[in-house]
Amino acid sequence: GVQTCALPILNIPTPLTLGGAGINGADGALNASANAVNSTWSGPISAATNTTILAASGAAVTLSGIVNAGTNTLEFLPQGTIVVSGNVTAQTLQLNSSVLNSSGQVALLASNSLSNVAILVPRATLWACNSNALGTNSTVLLTNGITPGIGCYLNLGSNNVTIPAGVSLVAQVPGGGLGSPASYRAYLDLGAPGDTTNTWNGPISMTGTDPLETGVPGYFIIQAVSGNAVINGTINVPAGQSVNLQVRGGGNGILNGKINLDTNAFTRTDAGPWTIASSANIWGQTIVFGGPLMLGINEALPANAPLRLDAAASILDLNGFSQHVPGLTNTGNTVWGVIRNSST
């Protein structure tokens, strides 16, 4: 049934089994109301069926005991904040919302055993604060086809988080929004505090169809708000999709894996430097809206992709390496960007 925490501060150490009639049909549910501020369920939680855990807006709930959903789905509906510091076992862990564009958050602090992870709604944020928070051999789905201009987020929210190579990421971001910046978006944020480093080792796949043929691509955005971000996995877009890749943020980023965006664009913005250290990459156009894009190897950019430098802050830094491009463009600005070689 539905368990409701309605007191301001709770610490409940008893075991809890969820099953039977819940807020989602036959699913069991734990419901933390808006009055459940800074409350903790420290006892173990077992899910006998697919289970929903809801935190209302203003609620901050910690699950510090083991959460075992077995082969069932564990669904979080976070309008407030849910912190999971105990180990989680589930076939699927997913973030959803009963309120459109709710900015709820779920933080996973421990190592977990998961096969699938899904972030299904805009504004929702999943914080993976442990290297094995997403499991060690799982598929993570980021999808947003509901609200243009707003992204769903997967955030490596601690320092020195290294996601294993067995964890793959699928970003589903359709074309057809209202145009930049109001395109459909999904975010992978590797921002680490200070001078620490967060790393993604698994493959990344981007998909996004444009069924109405609007010509407005979706965007998958990899950002480092601070610290250092390393992407070692490959990044791939199947043929016929309409989704651009953008790297951004105030931190330092490096892309070591091969990138195949088909005919879509590689874009970058913000002030922090991003380095491409892989070769034989494929995409249709390189667009630098702002900030330095640095080479980490000869011919890191596709030789057949035009280079677009839109503003004075748009920089291609050769960094001591060689690069061929078929031509330079901008959007008609009278001030062009810069091509420099910072190693000399």
Side-chain angles (χ1 to χ4, degrees), residues 3 7 11-12 18 29-30 73 80 83 93 149 163 169 177 208 229 234-235 259 306 314 316 322 330:
Q3 305 291 327
L7 298 176
N11 189 340
I12 305 174
L18 297 174
L30 172 64
T73 294
V83 177
L93 183 152
I163 302 299
L169 175 64
T234 58
I235 302 175
I259 304 169
S314 303
L316 175 66
S322 299
N330 74 4

Side-chain angles (χ1 to χ4, degrees), residues 51-77:
T51 295
T52 300
I53 296 178
L54 182 148
S57 179
V61 181
T62 297
L63 307 178
S64 61
I66 293 173
V67 182
N68 187 356
T71 58
N72 298 305
T73 294
L74 179 63
E75 180 179 63
F76 292 107
L77 300 181

Side-chain angles (χ1 to χ4, degrees), residues 292-315:
L293 178 62
M294 304 181 70
L295 303 186
I297 194 172
N298 289 329
E299 306 298 339
L301 310 182
N304 63 342
L307 173 63
R308 189 174 120 189
L309 301 172
D310 268 2
S314 303
I315 301 168

Side-chain angles (χ1 to χ4, degrees), residues 39 64 76 100 111 113 118 136 156 166 171 200 235 246 257 309 322:
S39 297
S64 61
F76 292 107
L100 182 63
S111 297
S113 179
T136 58
L156 307 190
W200 187 278
I235 302 175
Q246 184 171 103
L309 301 172
S322 299

Side-chain angles (χ1 to χ4, degrees), residues 60-153:
V61 181
T62 297
L63 307 178
S64 61
I66 293 173
V67 182
N68 187 356
T71 58
N72 298 305
T73 294
L74 179 63
E75 180 179 63
F76 292 107
L77 300 181
Q79 297 175 42
T81 299
I82 301 173
V83 177
V84 188
S85 58
N87 303 102
V88 178
T89 299
Q91 178 70 26
T92 300
L93 183 152
Q94 66 185 35
L95 265 67
N96 214 327
S97 179
S98 57
V99 178
L100 182 63
N101 299 332
S102 172
S103 56
Q105 303 181 73
V106 174
L108 304 177
L109 307 187
S111 297
N112 300 311
S113 179
L114 305 168
S115 297
N116 301 286
V117 178
I119 304 168
L120 302 175
V121 286
R123 283 202 194 281
T125 300
L126 178 64
W127 296 78
C129 301
N130 181 290
S131 293
N132 295 326
L134 304 173
T136 58
N137 188 21
S138 60
T139 299
V140 180
L141 172 65
L142 272 170
T143 182
N144 176 25
I146 300 174
T147 307
I150 299 173
C152 55
Y153 292 83

Side-chain angles (χ1 to χ4, degrees), residues 171-175 205-210 217-218 236-244 261-265:
Q172 294 181 346
V173 194
S205 177
M206 302 158 46
T207 64
T209 59
D210 185 9
N236 185 66
V237 176
Q241 305 298 299
S242 180
V243 54
N244 291 342
L261 306 181
D262 193 37
T263 59
N264 297 284

